[in-house]
Structure formats: C-alpha cells, structure tokens
Amino acid sequence: MQGMKIAAGADPSRGVRNRAPAPRHQRWSEGEAVQLVKGAWRHGYRGLACIIAVSWDSQFSPVDVRTLCERHRAMSGGRLVFDRQADGRAKTGRAAIGTISRRTERLVSEYLAGTDRLPDATLFRMRGGSPYREATLAHDFAAVRAIVFPGDQRRLMDMRRSGTIEAVAGGADAVGIAAKMANSIGQSNALHKAYSPVSIEAVRNTDAARLQGRRKMRAENGKRPKV
C-alpha cells in the first residue's frame, strides 16, 4: 500500500477517520417549554402551542404529535391521554400511550372546544387550518423560537431527550422509560413487547420520576426558572 501511495505510513488505518456526526445532546427545561407554549399561543400559533405542550409531557416525537387524530383521544382515570396502541408510533409502529399534565390538558381542551371532528381528523393544525407537515411544523417552531429565544437553534425533537434526562435523574428504570417513549431501551424489541407491553401505569410512574428528577436538577442549578 505504501508502494502504491495508498498509505502514508506503516499503519494505513491511521488515515481512516469516523466522520459520522456526533449525536445530538441539546435539551430543554420545563420553564423553557412553558415559555415556548405561551409564546406560540400569544402569537396565534395555537395548534403549535398544543403540539409543544404535548411533546414535552408525552415525550412523543414531533411526527407522533402532529399526526394525532380525534380517534387517539381517550380518558383514563378521569384524565386525557393520547392512545396510539392500535396505530402505533408513526415511524416504528410501536404501541404508545401519551400522558399529559393537567395544564396541558386544559390548553388542549380550550383549543379543541366548540368543534366536532371525525375520527380521522387531525387535532392540531396550522393557523390557516391545514394539518401540519414536517416542513411546516419545523418552520413555525423556528418562528416561535426566534421570538422567545432569539438565536437559539434547539429543536422540538430535543424535548423527547429532555424528558428522558429528567426521568433518569428521578430514578426511573429502563422498563418505565421504554414504556413512556415506546422504544426498547435496555431490552430487545421482542422481549419488551412480550414481557413488558405498554401500560398506563408504567407511563405514569415515569411521569412521577420526571417530576422528581426535575426538582433535583433545579436544586443543583440553584434556582427555579421564571415563567
């Protein structure tokens, strides 16, 4: 290889570098998520405000939230949830249940009040009334982000990671996090599906762990964000 001028030294592997992009590490805090929700609502992006709030609470991916339909709305224990067990997640098909806070429940209820929808009707829409697509959701989120946090480059998808960080800090186990996120953290897909199917109890336990983790993180930072 040296004779053919393919390798510059005795170890050709030194010329090989892994150029894969580093994984994303950005995250949001609860206070920042609330500010984004309020900013979107006040500037007329009310469907987007609901998407941001549901994304933060449920840890659904952006595509799973923007494709929520009337048939996904359900009540469990007197609380609103988004049930994707039949349809599964948009990209993986994994069954998922999205739990939300009472604050988000009030926001969604106000947004959806006064309208009757068919089962397949998309819940959260653009200002003009059309359902969100991937590009339009990214565009509107960037517009609101520029208003609330000028110069920031974090994305809506980073809220999914942020919730996991809170849950881990609060002591949630891999099974609970997998149920919350509808993935297979720490387990194979087949084993998780067979022995730990998604359940509302596991998801709510992870919600509680997120709250505990959020409090720990606030204590470590030494201050509570103003919202």
Side-chain angles (χ1 to χ4, degrees), residues 6-201:
I6 296 175
D11 185 358
S13 67
R14 292 182 178 274
V16 179
R17 294 292 182 267
N18 183 2
R19 303 186 182 278
R24 292 186 64 80
H25 63 277
Q26 291 82 355
R27 65 186 187 185
W28 298 94
S29 70
E30 182 207 18
E32 290 172 327
V34 171
Q35 290 181 67
L36 286 169
V37 172
K38 289 182 177 180
W41 189 272
R42 290 166 180 168
H43 287 84
Y45 297 88
R46 297 194 168 188
L48 175 61
C50 292
I51 287 176
I52 296 171
V54 173
S55 295
W56 174 259
D57 287 341
S58 70
Q59 289 184 250
F60 278 2
S61 67
V63 64
D64 290 328
V65 180
R66 70 175 174 82
T67 56
L68 286 173
C69 298
E70 177 64 22
R71 68 176 180 274
H72 296 130
R73 285 208 299 162
M75 299 299 294
S76 175
R79 298 289 304 279
L80 174 64
V81 299
F82 295 105
D83 190 341
R84 295 196 68 119
Q85 294 185 86
D87 293 349
R89 292 189 54 213
K91 291 185 178 180
T92 65
R94 290 291 300 272
I97 299 174
T99 51
I100 58 177
S101 64
R102 293 188 185 277
R103 177 173 55 194
T104 298
E105 186 173 345
R106 290 193 297 268
L107 182 79
V108 171
S109 297
E110 182 174 348
Y111 176 76
L112 297 176
T115 57
D116 294 325
R117 288 163 297 277
L118 295 173
D120 292 336
T122 303
L123 293 178
F124 309 126
R125 297 170 175 263
M126 299 170 60
R127 290 177 294 176
S130 300
Y132 269 109
R133 303 299 180 191
E134 182 177 3
T136 53
L137 178 58
H139 179 273
D140 280 6
F141 182 79
V144 171
R145 183 187 61 200
I147 295 171
V148 181
F149 300 110
D152 202 306
Q153 295 299 313
R154 287 172 292 177
R155 303 179 186 176
L156 182 61
M157 69 172 68
D158 295 327
M159 292 191 177
R160 186 166 163 85
R161 181 185 311 105
S162 305
T164 301
I165 292 171
E166 285 186 345
V168 170
D173 58 21
V175 173
I177 295 175
K180 177 71 175 176
M181 300 183 68
N183 63 15
S184 54
I185 295 176
Q187 302 184 44
S188 72
N189 286 340
L191 286 176
H192 183 273
K193 186 174 182 180
Y195 297 110
S196 184
V198 63
S199 70
I200 191 69
E201 293 81 6

